[in-house]
């Protein structure tokens, strides 16, 4: 069972397609951070016909908030990436680095999924710094250099090397300049997580604490009996949120892991009426001065929600195991 230290916001969902002043159908998986004195959110918007799994397209919307609870969506999308070998960009994650906002995102191409990093100062102009080779995604950046290098978590798709299936793990790479990445090592594997039987991947960018880097991740379990569970003919997966601690100086090393879900789908907006029900997908965390951690997550691949917990409780869960 998820831990009672984590509380859902009573005003959930905090953002839906009805809050967007342009064409929007599924609004979810939003990167959130604090920048220049206010909360900023970049969210995924899949638009098309409600109830149709074949949507028309995807863009990234922009919203601001003074309190992290009530959001004002800007009049137009802030980011859309297309080209001869790029179909769409989605699932943004935001990290403030060196006084600028870095945005990790996923990219669909005819050759497979790629992970990208872009940088912006104003959310109007983005410079794309790098795109990975296929297949890699769910990238998140640490908010400072470690050992003189930029560091990211990521989730490659090593299908053939793991005997098929979806046993995908969390990896770490570093970079001198946010463009060229290497020194890659596995950090957390599916075998380490008792509440999944399929893939795991990074969730929100890590938070620095005295005990280590507090790091959320998503974990997937598959149950063939779930059957139709959303728009598609069959959706047999469940996405839950997990949390771990990584060593401050050697973030390849896990120093604490909560062995049960931090959040699992339970609320109506997580379990019914969505594109893919029974999905919780954290993409943003904000650590407040009083120790509260705001955890922003996509629910049922349809809306954006918020949960809160005290940072000390989250660290405790990791250290207690």
């Amino acid at each position: 069972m998820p831990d009672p230290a984590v509380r859902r916001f009573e005003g959930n969902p905090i953002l839906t397609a009805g809050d967007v002043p342009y064409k929007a159908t599924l609004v979810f998986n939003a990167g959130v951070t604090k920048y220049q004195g206010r909360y900023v959110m970049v969210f995924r918007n899949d638009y098309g016909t409600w109830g149709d799994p074949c949507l028309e397209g995807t863009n990234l919307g922009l919203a601001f908030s003074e309190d992290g609870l009530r959001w004002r969506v800007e009049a137009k999308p802030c980011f859309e990436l297309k080209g001869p070998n790029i179909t769409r960009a989605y699932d943004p994650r935001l990290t403030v680095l060196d006084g600028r906002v870095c945005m990790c995102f996923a990219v669909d191409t005819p050759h497979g999924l790629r992970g990208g990093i872009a940088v912006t100062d104003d959310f109007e102009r983005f410079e794309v710094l790098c795109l990975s080779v296929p297949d890699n995604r769910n990238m998140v950046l640490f908010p400072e250099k470690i050992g003189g290098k930029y560091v990211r978590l990521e989730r490659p798709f090593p299908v053939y090397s793991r005997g098929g299936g979806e046993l995908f793990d969390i990896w770490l790479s570093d970079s001198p300049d946010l463009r060229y990445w290497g020194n890659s090592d596995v950090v957390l594997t599916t075998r380490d997580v008792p509440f999944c039987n399929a893939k795991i991947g990074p969730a929100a960018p890590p938070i620095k604490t005295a005990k280590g880097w507090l790091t959320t991740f998503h974990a997937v379990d598959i149950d063939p009996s779930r059957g139709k569970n959303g728009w598609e003919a069959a959706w047999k997966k469940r996405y839950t949120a997990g949390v771990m601690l990584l060593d401050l100086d050697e973030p390849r090393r896990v120093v604490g892991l909560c062995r049960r879900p931090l959040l699992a789908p339970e609320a109506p907006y997580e379990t019914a009426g969505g594109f893919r029900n029974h999905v919780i997908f954290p993409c943003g965390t904000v650590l407040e001065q009083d120790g509260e951690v705001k955890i922003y997550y996509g629910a049922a691949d349809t809306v954006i929600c918020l949960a809160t917990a005290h940072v000390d409780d989250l660290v405790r869960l990791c250290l207690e195991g």
Side-chain angles (χ1 to χ4, degrees), residues 225-248:
S225 69
R226 290 193 180 114
K228 184 169 175 57
N229 203 6
W231 292 8
E232 297 168 302
W235 176 248
K236 304 177 188 215
K237 297 177 183 177
R238 181 184 72 148
Y239 279 67
T240 60
V243 65
M244 63 180 169
L245 271 179
L246 304 179
D247 186 83
L248 287 175

Side-chain angles (χ1 to χ4, degrees), residues 2-85:
D3 196 275
V6 183
R7 299 167 295 277
R8 288 170 173 80
F9 175 52
E10 62 184 13
N12 276 343
I14 61 170
L15 200 72
T16 72
D19 300 314
V20 179
Y22 45 87
K23 192 166 187 177
T25 307
L26 307 174
V27 172
F28 61 114
N29 291 5
V32 182
T33 191
K34 264 187 169 178
Y35 184 62
Q36 297 181 344
R38 60 179 173 171
Y39 298 82
V40 59
M41 173 191 292
V42 177
F43 58 88
R44 172 177 172 174
N45 170 39
D46 289 1
Y47 56 90
T49 303
W50 179 262
D52 180 0
C54 301
L55 296 163
E56 296 172 18
T58 299
N59 53 43
L60 301 186
L62 177 65
F64 293 102
S65 173
E66 300 302 320
D67 59 7
L69 307 176
R70 290 167 287 273
W71 294 86
R72 174 180 53 82
V73 179
E74 295 296 284
K76 61 182 181 179
C78 68
F79 189 82
E80 190 169 10
L81 195 63
K82 289 185 177 180
N85 288 306

Side-chain angles (χ1 to χ4, degrees), residues 142-151 172 206-215 244-256 287 311 315 319:
F142 286 71
E144 62 184 60
K145 289 183 178 179
I146 303 173
K149 298 286 186 68
Y150 296 102
V151 182
L172 179 148
I207 292 174
K208 191 175 188 179
T209 76
K211 300 292 186 180
W213 291 103
L214 185 66
T215 306
M244 63 180 169
L245 271 179
L246 304 179
D247 186 83
L248 287 175
D249 300 317
E250 296 290 342
R252 291 169 171 82
R253 187 166 69 91
V254 178
V255 296
L287 175 60
V311 65
V315 170
L319 294 178

Side-chain angles (χ1 to χ4, degrees), residues 183-315:
N183 298 321
S184 303
D185 287 302
V186 67
V187 174
L188 188 73
T189 76
T190 57
R191 293 185 297 270
D192 302 320
V193 181
F195 50 92
C196 81
N197 61 13
K199 59 191 175 184
I200 59 173
I207 292 174
K208 191 175 188 179
T209 76
K211 300 292 186 180
W213 291 103
L214 185 66
T215 306
T216 54
F217 60 92
H218 66 268
V220 177
D221 65 84
I222 298 174
D223 180 350
S225 69
R226 290 193 180 114
K228 184 169 175 57
N229 203 6
W231 292 8
E232 297 168 302
W235 176 248
K236 304 177 188 215
K237 297 177 183 177
R238 181 184 72 148
Y239 279 67
T240 60
V243 65
M244 63 180 169
L245 271 179
L246 304 179
D247 186 83
L248 287 175
D249 300 317
E250 296 290 342
R252 291 169 171 82
R253 187 166 69 91
V254 178
V255 296
L257 172 69
C258 182
R259 298 181 65 80
R260 61 184 183 274
L262 184 68
L263 271 174
E266 295 176 347
Y269 45 81
E270 299 161 355
T271 61
F275 170 44
R276 288 170 171 162
N277 297 321
H278 292 96
V279 171
I280 284 179
F281 202 109
C283 284
T285 51
V286 174
L287 175 60
E288 305 290 10
Q289 291 184 347
D290 63 0
E292 180 188 70
V293 178
K294 288 184 169 68
I295 304 168
Y296 295 90
Y297 65 96
D301 280 1
T302 303
V303 294
I304 298 168
C305 298
L306 170 66
T308 59
H310 196 278
V311 65
D312 292 343
D313 288 330
L314 296 177
V315 170

